[in-house]
């Protein structure tokens, strides 16, 4: 089939839609192909690979799936908007940030006080040091826990040493009723997240990175079956620094692959019945809002600077700056900058008219 991927000119996304009206075998191959081509699209410019996120959103009513790669907004600005006319670039970036800010309200400040004993016990969870370091331990200590799943595959560190991956799933978060056997070398494990989000983690037992995972046809076959069973509406994979910031060891070059599965309230209630994990009753929030955070970075690290550069306008006549910005004021901050700039340069501007 022909795969059409949108360009990220007006929003920081590469998007591709896939019809669900295909047999499972063909659909899994299509998903693998789309994911592979989206990765290649990102790699077309090295700056885009710094941090990005691939999301796969299911619309079972319309029988369509949308693959969407969300780019780091500062990289998007540098690659796609920076070469444009500066005012046009500012307009596009500002319109995008406004849309996101209006759509997603700020997240409430979390309450650090928590009287839930189960959470207090969980926060004290710690893995045996010897097990994490070597992959083997016979200490039988009750002080340290020994999770059923801990990746023992070798990974490389920044200083070219070898160590075990040591990615693990706490036993109380492992959803065994949905998972393959922990010892299955080609299996997949379901787990709750440590925080109280309506989300599952889907983790391959074999060590690999997210880039390898999304290219596997067998992975998509497994995921499509589970999507029918659990009705999660979104699957997300992080790449680059958005993936590496969650590493157990910051010196390791690789991250153990994992997908984030998002649920709405109805599908979460269904998943509770299937998984039968009491902890799910206190997982009531939908998950972190990365889009808003990404927009805030764009405003701080690119838009504010672009405003100032445009106002200074080394290659633009100051009369043109004033007339253009007055015709199309960008926002309160921009108008304030314009007013301050006009006041500071009013004498110079008056002289130029004489």
């Amino acid at each position: 089939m022909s795969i059409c991927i949108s360009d990220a000119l007006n929003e920081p996304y590469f998007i591709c839609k896939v019809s669900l009206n295909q047999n499972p075998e063909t659909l899994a191959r299509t998903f693998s192909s789309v994911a592979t081509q989206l990765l290649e699209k990102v790699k077309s410019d090295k700056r885009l690979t710094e941090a990005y996120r691939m999301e796969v959103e299911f619309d079972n009513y319309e029988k369509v799936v949308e693959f969407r790669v969300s780019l780091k907004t500062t990289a998007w600005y540098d690659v796609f908007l920076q070469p444009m006319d500066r005012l046009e670039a500012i307009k596009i970036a500002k319109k995008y940030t406004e849309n996101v800010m209006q759509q997603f309200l700020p997240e409430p400040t979390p309450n650090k006080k928590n009287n839930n004993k189960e959470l207090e016990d969980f926060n004290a969870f710690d893995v045996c040091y010897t097990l994490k370091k070597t992959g083997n331990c016979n200490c039988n200590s009750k002080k340290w826990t020994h999770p059923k799943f801990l990746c023992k595959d070798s990974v490389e560190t920044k200083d070219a040493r070898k160590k075990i991956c040591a990615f693990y799933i706490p036993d109380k978060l492992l959803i065994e009723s949905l998972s393959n056997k922990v010892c299955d070398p080609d299996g997949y494990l379901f787990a709750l997240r440590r925080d109280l989000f309506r989300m599952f983690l889907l983790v391959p037992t074999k060590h690999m990175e997210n880039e390898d995972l999304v290219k596997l046809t067998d992975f998509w076959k497994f995921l499509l079956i589970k999507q029918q069973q659990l009705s999660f509406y979104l699957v997300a994979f992080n790449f680059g620094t958005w993936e590496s910031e969650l590493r157990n060891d910051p010196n390791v070059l690789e991250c153990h692959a994992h997908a984030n599965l998002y649920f709405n309230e109805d599908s979460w209630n269904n998943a509770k019945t299937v998984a039968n994990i009491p902890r799910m009753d206190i997982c009531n929030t939908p998950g972190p809002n990365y889009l808003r955070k990404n927009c805030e970075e764009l405003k701080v690290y690119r838009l504010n600077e672009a405003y100032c550069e445009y106002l200074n306008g080394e290659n633009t006549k100051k009369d043109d700056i004033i007339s253009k910005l007055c015709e199309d004021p960008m926002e309160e901050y921009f108008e304030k900058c314009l007013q301050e700039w006009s006041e500071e340069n009013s004498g110079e501007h008056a002289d130029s008219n004489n």
Side-chain angles (χ1 to χ4, degrees):
M1 64 171 291
S2 175
I3 296 175
C4 181
I5 299 175
S6 66
D7 290 323
L9 294 179
N10 294 315
E11 292 182 321
Y13 309 127
F14 293 131
I15 295 175
C16 181
K17 293 187 177 182
V18 177
S19 171
L20 285 172
N21 293 319
Q22 306 175 55
N23 66 64
E25 185 78 25
T26 302
L27 196 57
R29 288 199 301 268
T30 301
F31 277 28
S32 173
S33 180
V34 170
T36 301
Q37 292 189 42
L38 282 168
L39 292 177
E40 292 303 316
K41 190 84 169 177
V42 174
K43 291 177 182 178
S44 63
D45 192 302
K46 188 176 181 180
R47 290 171 291 180
L48 298 178
T49 64
E50 177 189 350
Y52 58 103
R53 177 179 172 87
M54 183 183 294
E55 298 178 338
V56 184
E57 186 169 5
F58 290 83
D59 186 338
N60 290 321
Y61 180 77
E62 296 291 339
K63 296 294 182 182
V64 69
V65 170
E66 180 178 273
F67 278 75
R68 180 174 58 251
V69 170
S70 297
L71 303 170
K72 185 177 176 66
T73 50
T74 50
W76 166 65
Y77 187 93
D78 293 343
V79 173
F80 294 99
L81 303 188
Q82 192 73 47
M84 294 182 178
D85 172 78
R86 184 166 290 149
L87 182 58
E88 185 64 23
I90 291 173
K91 287 180 179 179
I92 292 174
K94 181 177 180 294
K95 182 179 179 181
Y96 170 71
T97 56
E98 281 185 343
N99 289 340
V100 171
M101 295 297 187
Q102 290 172 4
Q103 186 177 357
F104 301 101
L105 298 176
E107 295 178 1
T109 303
N111 184 3
K112 294 185 178 180
K113 294 183 179 180
N114 199 316
N115 297 321
N116 190 300
K117 187 176 186 303
E118 182 181 355
L119 288 183
E120 291 175 358
D121 290 343
F122 176 73
N123 289 335
F125 180 92
D126 202 359
V127 176
C128 172
Y129 174 78
T130 304
L131 180 64
K132 288 180 68 174
K133 185 175 181 180
T134 66
N136 295 289
C137 180
N138 297 314
C139 68
N140 296 320
S141 172
K142 294 183 179 180
K143 181 179 179 181
W144 309 109
T145 54
H146 299 72
K148 295 176 182 177
F149 174 73
L150 183 143
C151 180
K152 301 177 183 179
D153 289 345
S154 177
V155 294
E156 188 174 347
T157 63
K158 293 178 180 178
D159 56 358
R161 292 182 295 109
K162 292 287 186 179
K163 62 170 294 183
I164 69 166
C165 169
F167 178 93
Y168 67 92
I169 298 175
D171 288 352
K172 63 172 62 179
L173 299 186
L174 180 64
I175 308 174
E176 295 189 72
S177 59
L178 294 173
S179 303
N180 298 127
K181 297 290 185 183
V182 172
C183 58
D184 185 346
D186 296 311
Y188 297 96
L189 307 176
F190 282 89
L192 295 175
R193 286 177 52 121
R194 291 172 179 253
D195 33 37
L196 302 180
F197 296 140
R198 291 196 303 264
M199 296 171 63
F200 283 171
L201 293 180
L202 180 56
V203 180
T205 55
K206 182 180 180 180
H207 181 80
M208 65 182 73
E209 295 186 89
N210 278 345
E211 184 170 339
D212 303 312
L213 182 64
V214 299
K215 295 178 181 179
L216 289 178
T217 301
D218 286 344
F219 164 72
W220 292 112
K221 287 181 185 177
F222 179 84
L223 184 107
L224 287 167
I225 293 172
K226 293 302 181 181
Q227 200 279 329
Q228 291 295 313
Q229 180 184 10
L230 299 170
S231 300
F232 47 84
Y233 71 91
L234 183 73
V235 185
F237 312 83
N238 292 320
F239 298 86
T241 56
W242 288 350
E243 178 186 20
S244 60
E245 67 185 8
L246 300 177
R247 289 176 185 154
N248 291 328
D249 185 344
N251 294 316
V252 172
L253 294 175
E254 300 177 16
C255 297
H256 195 101
H258 58 278
N260 296 279
L261 312 182
Y262 289 73
F263 295 79
N264 58 32
E265 290 187 32
D266 291 337
S267 60
W268 188 247
N269 289 331
N270 172 61
K272 286 181 187 179
T273 304
V274 177
N276 193 27
I277 303 291
R279 181 182 169 84
M280 292 176 66
D281 291 332
I282 57 175
C283 298
N284 299 316
T285 54
N289 189 334
Y290 295 106
L291 284 179
R292 188 178 180 92
K293 179 182 177 181
N294 209 11
C295 279
E296 289 169 352
E297 290 182 359
L298 176 64
K299 292 184 71 174
V300 171
Y301 296 109
R302 291 297 183 274
L303 271 179
N304 289 352
E305 180 182 349
Y307 291 154
C308 295
E309 288 179 354
Y310 190 82
L311 288 169
N312 288 332
E314 293 181 357
N315 299 320
T316 308
K317 292 182 180 179
K318 292 175 181 177
D319 288 347
D320 293 339
I321 295 175
I322 293 175
S323 62
K324 284 184 180 180
L325 297 184
C326 286
E327 290 173 3
D328 186 16
M330 302 302 292
E331 62 178 357
E332 291 183 7
Y333 173 79
F334 207 176
E335 293 181 75
K336 182 180 178 182
C337 288
L338 173 61
Q339 182 179 359
E340 292 176 353
W341 181 88
S342 299
E343 291 173 354
E344 291 174 0
N345 296 275
S346 57
E348 179 183 347
H349 183 63
D351 292 340
S352 65
N353 289 333
N354 293 330

